[in-house]
Amino acid sequence: NAGVTQTPKFQVLKTGQSMTLQCAQDMNHEYMSWYRQDPGMGLRLIHYSVGAGITDQGEVPNGYNVSRSTTEDFPLRLLSAAPSQTSVYFCASSYSGGEETQYFGPGTRLLVL
Amino acid sequence: AQSVAQPEDQVNVAEGNPLTVKCTYSVSGNPYLFWYVQYPNRGLQFLLKYITGDNLVKGSYGFEAEFNKSQTSFHLKKPSALVSDSALYFCAVNNFNKFYFGSGTKLNVKP
């Protein structure tokens, strides 16, 4: 099992550029989620999905889009990057939401200039 | 509004001494409670969770946590700290499929 994988590991963008952060899991987990980690603020939920075709907003969804066409993949799209989106992004998955343990990917470090 | 508070940015403890990392929460309903640990340049790793039942939960690497409903707290504890426990610790709650994390506490264990 590869677990939760994220690509790329590091990315530099210019303001206004778009990009997609990839997340995949091979554990047949229904629940997947995206977080951003900023110094002194912990992790904040951006979007989550309870299964293929179902997504919902988290705490800080503005500026980000998601879709879930398969159980395995949950990409995060930045349509027009802003410096405020400079952060470390983590994807996580679990069998379901609620009481289930989440497994985290290694993270993507994003710098927006 | 849902929130999780970790009042200490940093906790310093000598190796062999007991440690406590504090967490309080403010969410509606009966949330599920978690502790995760993060080592430098890594993702988060699960330590333990409280779902229901006994208020004292035991987890990985000798850690335990005590759930206190009246104080809405879920403090992380370990009887004897190791230098290798030095890391960033996050408390989290899950309420209706949404996870809320505290800001993190950096644990420094000195030899």
Side-chain angles (χ1 to χ4, degrees), chain B residues 13-74:
Chain B
V13 63
E15 188 173 33
N17 283 1
L19 69 88
T20 298
V21 181
K22 296 179 181 177
C23 172
T24 59
Y25 63 92
S26 174
V27 299
S28 55
N30 294 309
Y32 304 118
L33 303 165
F34 301 79
W35 275 101
Y36 286 86
V37 60
Q38 185 180 34
Y39 298 98
N41 299 315
R42 303 284 296 274
L44 276 67
Q45 297 176 29
F46 169 77
L47 274 181
L48 51 78
K49 64 183 175 183
Y50 174 82
I51 306 302
T52 187
D54 193 349
N55 290 343
L56 186 63
V57 178
K58 294 189 185 297
S60 307
Y61 313 119
F63 283 93
E64 57 190 29
E66 186 166 13
F67 170 64
N68 187 316
K69 187 172 184 178
S70 62
Q71 297 185 3
T72 60
S73 66
F74 189 53

Side-chain angles (χ1 to χ4, degrees), chain A residues 31 35 37 40-43 45 48 50 56-59 90 96-102 104-106 109, chain B residues 2 9 32 34 36 38 41-46 49-51 88 90 94 96-104:
Chain A
Y31 184 95
Y35 299 87
Q37 182 178 19
M41 301 190 73
L43 277 75
L45 181 65
Y48 68 99
V50 298
D56 205 348
Q57 295 181 351
E59 206 179 345
F90 289 100
S96 63
E99 64 190 65
E100 295 294 331
T101 299
Q102 287 195 105
F104 283 80
R109 189 173 296 272
Chain B
Q2 327 286 342
D9 290 336
Y32 304 118
F34 301 79
Y36 286 86
Q38 185 180 34
N41 299 315
R42 303 284 296 274
L44 276 67
Q45 297 176 29
F46 169 77
K49 64 183 175 183
Y50 174 82
I51 306 302
L88 188 56
F90 289 99
N94 182 301
F96 302 111
N97 274 334
K98 291 186 178 181
F99 280 87
Y100 301 90
F101 282 79
S103 55

